[in-house]
Amino acid sequence: MLSPLKTYLNEGSVYYGLEVYKLGKNVLFNLLELRRKKQELFIGGQHAFSTMEEVSKHVKKDAPLFVVFATQSVLTKVVATNPSQEHEATVHRSFPNLDFSTFYYQLVPMEETTVVNICKKEHLDLYLNRLIELKLPVTGFALGISPFVALLDFLTEDSVPTSTYRVQLQNRSIQEVRPIEGIEPAQKTHYDINGLSLPHTHLLVFASILGMLSKGVDGFNNFGEELQGLQKEFRNKRHFGLLLKSSLIFVLSLLLLNFLVFTYYFQKVETLQNTSALNRDSKSKLVALKRALESKEERVNTLLATTNSKATLYVDQMAMSLPVSMLFTEIQYQPLEKPMRPKKPIQLLVGTITVRGTASNGNDFSSWVETLESFAWTKSVETQDYDYGNRGLSNFTLKIEIHDE
């Protein structure tokens, strides 16, 4: 489980192969994009360009790019494999008196033959430095036909062309490599490589990616330090980019979480503030209402105290003047004008006394009414009812209006 994660962190899942070659006087570039999903490779894109600037527009800066240099500056020879011979001796046997300080070399031994490629450092570094200037993520490079060895297990043909070479194969070995002459590209021939259909122009770049992934067909060379430097720089940049992205995602996630928490509590606080403001307003209204009620109650109590004193005086005078033939059954001071009803104000007959009772002598009743009319506080006396009853008793109702003071 850790191996795929390590591979993703170091390389990712997208790979690029770039072939730099020459047709006539024109330097051209073949670019291949491969994507790896669940340990399977898929073609992401095939391109052909005439400038490096066009290449840089189609390469992601966080995906490894392997470059194959196949210009006329790269010289190739195929020699018989000699397992007992040193690598440098094999190079010298192919290119006598070669100065390793000014030349890069790469040799790939096979069962019967060994492919030896050399190139002047200044020629290769010219292209390599330009690619790096364009911020292309170069992680490795190879010389000439060297990466082609990675395809030997997938090809059944005896003669296979690439963009610049025609390769003769036999017994899983490269027998001969001939440059393709002419300035126009040959008609494309497609090959099936383990389920992937590839034109001959992109076989070499596909082989370079395959060799980079298998890490076992690089052969031997004298630019190992340069390759390690390129790989280290790419991994450092990729790790930094992943760390930067992860940090940004983490910070943005924290900011989002903080925003959500802040919004949640802000809404809670706002609700509480609104509730508090409403409570304060209600409390203020209740306090004002209480004060108003207390003031009115005080006024009513004062009025009632005064009124009760007067009412007692009036009732006392009426009782003292009442003949013995009469009897009070009910006395109402300021009675209701109308019966009480829900949600309706109580209306009183202010300045009015209602008296109900019985009388056994009509003359006494008439004399008493005249007595009531003579009181200084009496405004008017109205007999509302006088009902002659049985046994000589009559029921009466009087309405007495009193003077306002």
Side-chain angles (χ1 to χ4, degrees), residues 357-368:
T358 59
S360 60
N361 189 314
N363 293 327
D364 289 345
F365 174 77
S366 299
S367 298
W368 183 66

Side-chain angles (χ1 to χ4, degrees), residues 267-281:
Q267 291 175 347
K268 285 287 186 183
V269 170
E270 189 176 22
T271 302
L272 291 175
Q273 288 177 341
N274 293 336
T275 304
S276 177
L278 183 61
N279 290 337
R280 285 197 301 269
D281 185 56

Side-chain angles (χ1 to χ4, degrees), residues 12-291:
S13 58
V14 179
Y15 303 89
Y16 293 98
L18 178 68
E19 180 185 7
V20 182
Y21 68 103
K22 212 169 186 181
L23 281 179
K25 296 182 179 180
N26 300 319
V27 178
L28 303 175
F29 307 89
N30 286 334
L31 178 69
L32 178 67
E33 175 186 336
L34 290 183
R35 297 178 178 271
R36 180 163 61 181
K37 295 180 181 179
K38 298 180 180 180
Q39 304 303 316
E40 292 187 23
L41 294 177
F42 300 89
I43 297 175
Q46 305 172 23
H47 308 279
F49 303 111
S50 57
T51 64
M52 289 187 184
E53 287 73 15
E54 292 178 284
V55 175
S56 66
K57 296 177 182 178
H58 290 77
V59 176
K60 295 181 179 179
K61 300 303 183 286
D62 61 346
L65 172 67
F66 199 90
V67 185
V68 181
F69 294 98
T71 63
Q72 284 95 338
S73 300
V74 179
L75 302 179
T76 302
K77 282 190 177 180
V78 180
V79 299
T81 298
N82 186 354
S84 62
Q85 194 173 45
E86 294 291 335
H87 307 139
E88 293 186 358
T90 301
V91 177
H92 278 301
R93 178 160 62 95
S94 305
F95 300 97
N97 302 319
L98 187 70
D99 185 3
F100 290 153
S101 64
T102 59
F103 277 84
Y104 289 125
Y105 74 80
Q106 184 175 19
L107 68 156
V108 183
M110 293 162 283
E111 292 184 5
E112 296 182 355
T113 58
T114 298
V115 174
V116 183
N117 297 277
I118 64 171
C119 179
K120 263 197 170 184
K121 291 183 178 182
E122 58 180 346
H123 291 304
L124 190 145
D125 290 343
L126 183 67
Y127 292 107
L128 191 60
N129 292 334
R130 180 56 182 158
L131 290 171
I132 295 174
E133 286 177 7
L134 292 172
K135 302 187 182 304
L136 286 166
V138 180
T139 57
F141 61 89
L143 304 180
I145 202 68
S146 300
F148 195 86
V149 178
L151 300 179
L152 294 180
D153 291 334
F154 304 99
L155 296 172
T156 58
E157 292 80 2
D158 295 333
S159 178
V160 179
T162 66
S163 298
T164 52
Y165 304 106
R166 179 166 291 278
V167 185
Q168 300 296 325
L169 305 175
Q170 185 178 349
N171 298 330
R172 298 186 69 256
S173 297
I174 297 175
Q175 301 297 326
E176 184 182 5
V177 178
R178 290 180 300 174
I180 294 179
E181 298 180 358
I183 61 174
E184 294 295 331
Q187 184 177 359
K188 287 187 178 180
T189 303
H190 284 76
Y191 292 87
D192 183 270
I193 307 297
N194 201 28
L196 297 178
S197 179
L198 291 163
H200 72 278
T201 53
H202 289 73
L203 284 179
L204 201 54
V205 286
F206 176 78
S208 68
I209 298 175
L210 200 61
M212 178 177 63
L213 293 176
S214 63
K215 305 182 187 303
V217 293
D218 290 341
F220 306 95
N221 57 66
N222 65 339
F223 45 84
E225 292 184 4
E226 286 81 356
L227 293 178
Q228 290 179 2
L230 292 172
Q231 292 169 3
K232 182 178 180 180
E233 183 176 0
F234 169 77
R235 288 177 181 175
N236 289 340
K237 288 182 177 179
R238 178 170 174 81
H239 292 165
F240 177 77
L242 290 174
L243 182 62
L244 181 61
K245 290 179 182 178
S246 301
S247 301
L248 287 175
I249 292 174
F250 179 72
V251 171
L252 290 175
S253 299
L254 283 181
L255 290 175
L256 178 61
L257 179 61
N258 183 64
F259 172 76
L260 294 175
V261 172
F262 172 79
T263 301
Y264 173 77
Y265 283 105
F266 178 79
Q267 291 175 347
K268 285 287 186 183
V269 170
E270 189 176 22
T271 302
L272 291 175
Q273 288 177 341
N274 293 336
T275 304
S276 177
L278 183 61
N279 290 337
R280 285 197 301 269
D281 185 56
S282 300
K283 183 179 179 181
S284 300
K285 291 181 179 179
L286 287 174
V287 170
L289 182 60
K290 182 179 179 182
R291 288 175 180 172

